[in-house]
Short mmCIF file of all heavy atoms in Angstrom, two decimals:
data_model
loop_
_atom_site.label_atom_id
_atom_site.label_comp_id
_atom_site.label_asym_id
_atom_site.label_seq_id
_atom_site.Cartn_x
_atom_site.Cartn_y
_atom_site.Cartn_z
N SER A 943 7.35 9.00 11.29
CA SER A 943 6.08 8.49 11.54
C SER A 943 5.64 8.70 13.01
O SER A 943 4.44 8.88 13.28
CB SER A 943 6.11 7.00 11.20
OG SER A 943 6.24 6.72 9.88
N VAL A 944 6.60 8.69 13.88
CA VAL A 944 6.27 8.94 15.33
C VAL A 944 5.69 10.34 15.49
O VAL A 944 4.82 10.52 16.32
CB VAL A 944 7.47 8.71 16.22
CG1 VAL A 944 7.29 9.22 17.63
CG2 VAL A 944 7.93 7.24 16.23
N ARG A 945 6.01 11.25 14.63
CA ARG A 945 5.52 12.64 14.71
C ARG A 945 3.96 12.64 14.55
O ARG A 945 3.30 13.54 14.94
CB ARG A 945 6.15 13.50 13.71
CG ARG A 945 7.63 13.81 13.99
CD ARG A 945 8.21 14.87 13.04
NE ARG A 945 7.47 16.05 12.90
CZ ARG A 945 7.32 16.99 13.79
NH1 ARG A 945 7.95 16.91 14.96
NH2 ARG A 945 6.65 18.13 13.61
N SER A 946 3.49 11.61 13.78
CA SER A 946 2.01 11.59 13.49
C SER A 946 1.18 11.33 14.75
O SER A 946 -0.03 11.53 14.71
CB SER A 946 1.73 10.53 12.42
OG SER A 946 1.83 9.16 12.96
N ARG A 947 1.84 10.85 15.87
CA ARG A 947 1.08 10.70 17.04
C ARG A 947 0.41 11.91 17.54
O ARG A 947 -0.72 11.94 18.13
CB ARG A 947 2.08 10.19 18.15
CG ARG A 947 1.39 9.93 19.49
CD ARG A 947 2.41 9.40 20.46
NE ARG A 947 1.71 9.04 21.71
CZ ARG A 947 2.23 8.39 22.69
NH1 ARG A 947 3.45 8.01 22.61
NH2 ARG A 947 1.51 8.08 23.77
N HIS A 948 0.99 13.05 17.27
CA HIS A 948 0.42 14.32 17.85
C HIS A 948 0.09 15.29 16.66
O HIS A 948 -0.15 16.50 16.90
CB HIS A 948 1.44 15.00 18.71
CG HIS A 948 1.75 14.21 19.96
ND1 HIS A 948 0.81 13.88 20.92
CD2 HIS A 948 2.91 13.56 20.29
CE1 HIS A 948 1.41 13.17 21.82
NE2 HIS A 948 2.68 12.93 21.43
N ASN A 949 0.09 14.77 15.40
CA ASN A 949 -0.13 15.68 14.27
C ASN A 949 -0.95 14.89 13.25
O ASN A 949 -0.49 14.10 12.51
CB ASN A 949 1.17 16.10 13.65
CG ASN A 949 1.05 17.22 12.63
OD1 ASN A 949 0.13 17.17 11.86
ND2 ASN A 949 1.96 18.16 12.64
N GLU A 950 -2.30 15.26 13.25
CA GLU A 950 -3.22 14.52 12.36
C GLU A 950 -2.87 14.78 10.89
O GLU A 950 -3.09 13.89 10.02
CB GLU A 950 -4.65 14.99 12.71
CG GLU A 950 -5.68 14.33 11.80
CD GLU A 950 -5.80 12.82 11.96
OE1 GLU A 950 -5.28 12.22 12.93
OE2 GLU A 950 -6.30 12.16 11.02
N ALA A 951 -2.42 15.91 10.49
CA ALA A 951 -2.06 16.24 9.16
C ALA A 951 -0.93 15.35 8.65
O ALA A 951 -1.00 14.79 7.56
CB ALA A 951 -1.71 17.75 8.93
N ILE A 952 0.05 15.09 9.52
CA ILE A 952 1.19 14.25 9.09
C ILE A 952 0.66 12.78 9.01
O ILE A 952 1.01 12.08 8.07
CB ILE A 952 2.32 14.31 10.15
CG1 ILE A 952 2.99 15.67 10.09
CG2 ILE A 952 3.35 13.22 9.97
CD1 ILE A 952 4.10 15.89 11.13
N ARG A 953 -0.16 12.38 9.98
CA ARG A 953 -0.77 11.06 9.87
C ARG A 953 -1.49 10.80 8.58
O ARG A 953 -1.28 9.82 7.87
CB ARG A 953 -1.69 10.73 11.04
CG ARG A 953 -2.14 9.27 11.12
CD ARG A 953 -3.40 9.10 11.77
NE ARG A 953 -4.56 9.82 11.18
CZ ARG A 953 -5.20 9.40 9.97
NH1 ARG A 953 -4.73 8.35 9.41
NH2 ARG A 953 -6.17 10.10 9.53
N ARG A 954 -2.30 11.75 8.16
CA ARG A 954 -3.07 11.67 6.84
C ARG A 954 -2.14 11.59 5.70
O ARG A 954 -2.34 10.78 4.83
CB ARG A 954 -4.02 12.83 6.76
CG ARG A 954 -5.44 12.66 7.44
CD ARG A 954 -6.38 13.70 6.96
NE ARG A 954 -5.87 15.09 6.85
CZ ARG A 954 -5.84 15.91 7.87
NH1 ARG A 954 -6.23 15.57 9.08
NH2 ARG A 954 -5.30 17.15 7.71
N GLN A 955 -1.14 12.42 5.72
CA GLN A 955 -0.16 12.43 4.55
C GLN A 955 0.59 11.07 4.52
O GLN A 955 0.88 10.53 3.45
CB GLN A 955 0.73 13.66 4.62
CG GLN A 955 -0.09 14.95 4.32
CD GLN A 955 0.82 16.14 4.56
OE1 GLN A 955 1.42 16.30 5.58
NE2 GLN A 955 0.83 17.02 3.54
N LEU A 956 1.03 10.63 5.70
CA LEU A 956 1.74 9.32 5.70
C LEU A 956 0.78 8.16 5.22
O LEU A 956 1.24 7.29 4.48
CB LEU A 956 2.28 9.03 7.14
CG LEU A 956 3.43 9.86 7.54
CD1 LEU A 956 3.77 9.66 9.01
CD2 LEU A 956 4.72 9.56 6.69
N ALA A 957 -0.48 8.31 5.64
CA ALA A 957 -1.48 7.22 5.15
C ALA A 957 -1.61 7.35 3.63
O ALA A 957 -1.72 6.23 3.00
CB ALA A 957 -2.77 7.46 5.93
N GLU A 958 -1.68 8.50 3.10
CA GLU A 958 -1.75 8.68 1.67
C GLU A 958 -0.54 8.06 0.98
O GLU A 958 -0.63 7.39 -0.08
CB GLU A 958 -1.96 10.08 1.29
CG GLU A 958 -3.37 10.66 1.65
CD GLU A 958 -3.35 12.21 1.45
OE1 GLU A 958 -2.51 12.77 0.80
OE2 GLU A 958 -4.33 12.78 1.92
N GLY A 959 0.64 8.35 1.51
CA GLY A 959 1.87 7.76 0.97
C GLY A 959 1.90 6.27 0.96
O GLY A 959 2.23 5.60 0.00
N ALA A 960 1.43 5.76 2.14
CA ALA A 960 1.36 4.23 2.23
C ALA A 960 0.36 3.63 1.29
O ALA A 960 0.59 2.65 0.72
CB ALA A 960 1.07 3.82 3.66
N GLN A 961 -0.72 4.35 1.07
CA GLN A 961 -1.76 3.88 0.10
C GLN A 961 -1.11 3.84 -1.33
O GLN A 961 -1.40 2.91 -2.10
CB GLN A 961 -3.05 4.76 0.13
CG GLN A 961 -4.00 4.33 -0.90
CD GLN A 961 -4.44 2.89 -0.88
OE1 GLN A 961 -4.54 2.26 0.17
NE2 GLN A 961 -4.55 2.28 -2.06
N GLY A 962 -0.37 4.85 -1.63
CA GLY A 962 0.32 4.90 -2.95
C GLY A 962 1.26 3.72 -3.12
O GLY A 962 1.29 3.13 -4.20
N VAL A 963 1.97 3.39 -2.11
CA VAL A 963 2.96 2.26 -2.10
C VAL A 963 2.11 0.96 -2.34
O VAL A 963 2.54 0.10 -3.09
CB VAL A 963 3.83 2.20 -0.85
CG1 VAL A 963 4.67 0.99 -0.84
CG2 VAL A 963 4.82 3.48 -0.89
N ARG A 964 1.04 0.82 -1.46
CA ARG A 964 0.28 -0.37 -1.64
C ARG A 964 -0.29 -0.55 -3.01
O ARG A 964 -0.37 -1.64 -3.58
CB ARG A 964 -0.92 -0.45 -0.61
CG ARG A 964 -0.41 -0.76 0.81
CD ARG A 964 -1.55 -1.03 1.84
NE ARG A 964 -2.49 0.04 1.91
CZ ARG A 964 -2.40 1.10 2.63
NH1 ARG A 964 -1.28 1.23 3.51
NH2 ARG A 964 -3.34 2.02 2.70
N ALA A 965 -0.83 0.52 -3.62
CA ALA A 965 -1.32 0.48 -4.96
C ALA A 965 -0.20 0.12 -5.93
O ALA A 965 -0.46 -0.73 -6.85
CB ALA A 965 -1.90 1.85 -5.37
N ALA A 966 0.96 0.59 -5.78
CA ALA A 966 2.10 0.15 -6.65
C ALA A 966 2.38 -1.26 -6.46
O ALA A 966 2.65 -1.96 -7.49
CB ALA A 966 3.34 1.05 -6.37
N ILE A 967 2.46 -1.79 -5.22
CA ILE A 967 2.69 -3.20 -5.03
C ILE A 967 1.62 -4.03 -5.69
O ILE A 967 1.93 -5.08 -6.23
CB ILE A 967 2.91 -3.51 -3.53
CG1 ILE A 967 4.14 -2.79 -3.00
CG2 ILE A 967 3.05 -4.95 -3.22
CD1 ILE A 967 4.25 -2.74 -1.46
N ALA A 968 0.38 -3.64 -5.51
CA ALA A 968 -0.71 -4.39 -6.05
C ALA A 968 -0.57 -4.49 -7.62
O ALA A 968 -0.80 -5.48 -8.17
CB ALA A 968 -2.09 -3.79 -5.74
N THR A 969 -0.09 -3.34 -8.24
CA THR A 969 0.13 -3.33 -9.69
C THR A 969 1.28 -4.31 -10.03
O THR A 969 1.16 -5.01 -11.06
CB THR A 969 0.49 -1.94 -10.09
OG1 THR A 969 -0.74 -1.14 -9.84
CG2 THR A 969 0.71 -1.93 -11.66
N ILE A 970 2.32 -4.40 -9.22
CA ILE A 970 3.45 -5.24 -9.40
C ILE A 970 3.00 -6.69 -9.26
O ILE A 970 3.31 -7.52 -10.11
CB ILE A 970 4.56 -4.93 -8.45
CG1 ILE A 970 5.24 -3.60 -8.82
CG2 ILE A 970 5.64 -6.04 -8.45
CD1 ILE A 970 6.12 -3.04 -7.71
N VAL A 971 2.17 -6.99 -8.31
CA VAL A 971 1.69 -8.35 -8.10
C VAL A 971 0.82 -8.80 -9.26
O VAL A 971 0.97 -9.89 -9.81
CB VAL A 971 0.95 -8.49 -6.68
CG1 VAL A 971 0.05 -9.78 -6.67
CG2 VAL A 971 1.85 -8.37 -5.55
N THR A 972 -0.12 -7.96 -9.66
CA THR A 972 -0.94 -8.19 -10.82
C THR A 972 -0.09 -8.40 -12.10
O THR A 972 -0.40 -9.26 -12.88
CB THR A 972 -2.01 -7.10 -10.98
OG1 THR A 972 -2.76 -6.98 -9.85
CG2 THR A 972 -2.89 -7.34 -12.18
N GLY A 973 0.90 -7.57 -12.29
CA GLY A 973 1.72 -7.68 -13.45
C GLY A 973 2.52 -8.98 -13.47
O GLY A 973 2.63 -9.61 -14.50
N LEU A 974 3.00 -9.41 -12.36
CA LEU A 974 3.71 -10.67 -12.29
C LEU A 974 2.76 -11.82 -12.62
O LEU A 974 3.16 -12.76 -13.31
CB LEU A 974 4.37 -10.95 -10.86
CG LEU A 974 5.72 -10.41 -10.58
CD1 LEU A 974 6.12 -10.56 -9.12
CD2 LEU A 974 6.77 -11.14 -11.52
N ALA A 975 1.56 -11.78 -12.01
CA ALA A 975 0.61 -12.83 -12.26
C ALA A 975 0.26 -12.88 -13.71
O ALA A 975 0.29 -13.99 -14.31
CB ALA A 975 -0.65 -12.60 -11.44
N ASP A 976 -0.02 -11.77 -14.33
CA ASP A 976 -0.42 -11.74 -15.74
C ASP A 976 0.71 -12.20 -16.65
O ASP A 976 0.55 -12.99 -17.57
CB ASP A 976 -0.82 -10.30 -16.15
CG ASP A 976 -2.11 -9.87 -15.56
OD1 ASP A 976 -2.82 -10.76 -14.95
OD2 ASP A 976 -2.43 -8.69 -15.55
N ARG A 977 1.97 -11.69 -16.37
CA ARG A 977 3.09 -12.02 -17.19
C ARG A 977 3.50 -13.54 -17.20
O ARG A 977 3.95 -14.03 -18.21
CB ARG A 977 4.23 -11.22 -16.73
CG ARG A 977 5.52 -11.32 -17.56
CD ARG A 977 6.56 -10.31 -17.08
NE ARG A 977 7.85 -10.52 -17.66
CZ ARG A 977 8.94 -10.04 -17.21
NH1 ARG A 977 8.99 -9.23 -16.16
NH2 ARG A 977 10.07 -10.31 -17.82
N HIS A 978 3.25 -14.14 -16.06
CA HIS A 978 3.78 -15.53 -15.87
C HIS A 978 2.61 -16.53 -15.73
O HIS A 978 2.78 -17.69 -15.39
CB HIS A 978 4.66 -15.69 -14.71
CG HIS A 978 5.88 -14.86 -14.86
ND1 HIS A 978 6.93 -15.19 -15.80
CD2 HIS A 978 6.37 -13.62 -14.27
CE1 HIS A 978 7.87 -14.26 -15.76
NE2 HIS A 978 7.54 -13.30 -14.86
N GLY A 979 1.43 -16.05 -15.97
CA GLY A 979 0.20 -16.99 -15.92
C GLY A 979 -0.02 -17.53 -14.51
O GLY A 979 -0.37 -18.72 -14.37
N LEU A 980 0.11 -16.67 -13.49
CA LEU A 980 -0.06 -17.12 -12.12
C LEU A 980 -1.42 -16.67 -11.59
O LEU A 980 -2.01 -15.71 -12.06
CB LEU A 980 1.10 -16.59 -11.28
CG LEU A 980 2.49 -17.01 -11.61
CD1 LEU A 980 3.54 -16.24 -10.77
CD2 LEU A 980 2.66 -18.49 -11.41
N HIS A 981 -1.77 -17.20 -10.42
CA HIS A 981 -2.98 -16.76 -9.69
C HIS A 981 -2.50 -16.50 -8.31
O HIS A 981 -1.91 -17.24 -7.57
CB HIS A 981 -3.98 -17.89 -9.70
CG HIS A 981 -5.18 -17.46 -8.83
ND1 HIS A 981 -6.14 -16.51 -9.09
CD2 HIS A 981 -5.56 -17.90 -7.56
CE1 HIS A 981 -6.98 -16.33 -8.16
NE2 HIS A 981 -6.67 -17.25 -7.17
N CYS A 982 -2.75 -15.23 -7.83
CA CYS A 982 -2.49 -14.86 -6.50
C CYS A 982 -3.57 -15.33 -5.53
O CYS A 982 -4.80 -15.27 -5.79
CB CYS A 982 -2.40 -13.33 -6.34
SG CYS A 982 -1.73 -12.76 -4.82
N THR A 983 -3.19 -15.98 -4.37
CA THR A 983 -4.12 -16.58 -3.48
C THR A 983 -4.92 -15.51 -2.65
O THR A 983 -5.90 -15.83 -2.05
CB THR A 983 -3.41 -17.52 -2.45
OG1 THR A 983 -2.38 -16.67 -1.76
CG2 THR A 983 -2.72 -18.64 -3.15
N LEU A 984 -4.46 -14.26 -2.76
CA LEU A 984 -5.24 -13.12 -2.18
C LEU A 984 -5.55 -12.10 -3.25
O LEU A 984 -4.81 -12.05 -4.23
CB LEU A 984 -4.38 -12.46 -1.10
CG LEU A 984 -4.08 -13.20 0.17
CD1 LEU A 984 -3.13 -12.37 1.08
CD2 LEU A 984 -5.34 -13.48 0.99
N PRO A 985 -6.58 -11.30 -3.10
CA PRO A 985 -6.74 -10.16 -4.02
C PRO A 985 -5.46 -9.31 -3.95
O PRO A 985 -4.82 -9.19 -2.87
CB PRO A 985 -7.94 -9.41 -3.43
CG PRO A 985 -8.71 -10.37 -2.62
CD PRO A 985 -7.64 -11.36 -2.05
N ALA A 986 -5.12 -8.69 -5.08
CA ALA A 986 -3.86 -7.95 -5.20
C ALA A 986 -3.72 -6.89 -4.09
O ALA A 986 -2.62 -6.77 -3.52
CB ALA A 986 -3.76 -7.30 -6.55
N GLU A 987 -4.80 -6.21 -3.73
CA GLU A 987 -4.69 -5.15 -2.72
C GLU A 987 -4.37 -5.77 -1.33
O GLU A 987 -3.60 -5.18 -0.58
CB GLU A 987 -6.04 -4.45 -2.65
CG GLU A 987 -6.40 -3.56 -3.85
CD GLU A 987 -6.89 -4.40 -5.02
OE1 GLU A 987 -7.36 -5.57 -4.84
OE2 GLU A 987 -6.79 -3.89 -6.09
N GLU A 988 -5.00 -6.96 -1.00
CA GLU A 988 -4.57 -7.62 0.22
C GLU A 988 -3.18 -8.14 0.26
O GLU A 988 -2.47 -8.04 1.22
CB GLU A 988 -5.55 -8.75 0.54
CG GLU A 988 -6.93 -8.26 0.94
CD GLU A 988 -7.90 -9.41 1.19
OE1 GLU A 988 -7.48 -10.50 1.79
OE2 GLU A 988 -9.08 -9.28 0.87
N ALA A 989 -2.77 -8.64 -0.86
CA ALA A 989 -1.39 -9.15 -1.06
C ALA A 989 -0.39 -8.01 -0.85
O ALA A 989 0.58 -8.06 -0.14
CB ALA A 989 -1.16 -9.80 -2.36
#
């Protein structure tokens, strides 16, 4: 990640990877809520 300081292409690719992880976590949070009848105090993306 430190390499992204001087390389915009790496920064963009790392940002895309992080967005993919956040999307997966949001899906997991939503799935847990749905499966167990819970309500998340934040929107899934913020959580």
Side-chain angles (χ1 to χ4, degrees):
S943 294
V944 169
R945 293 185 51 71
S946 71
R947 179 177 186 172
H948 301 291
N949 189 320
E950 180 61 20
I952 290 174
R953 188 207 60 75
R954 274 193 317 273
Q955 289 174 310
L956 287 170
E958 288 171 13
Q961 176 54 41
V963 171
R964 284 192 303 275
I967 295 170
T969 300
I970 290 166
V971 167
T972 301
L974 270 175
D976 292 347
R977 183 173 171 196
H978 298 288
L980 300 172
H981 172 73
C982 189
T983 58
L984 292 175
E987 294 76 19
E988 288 180 34

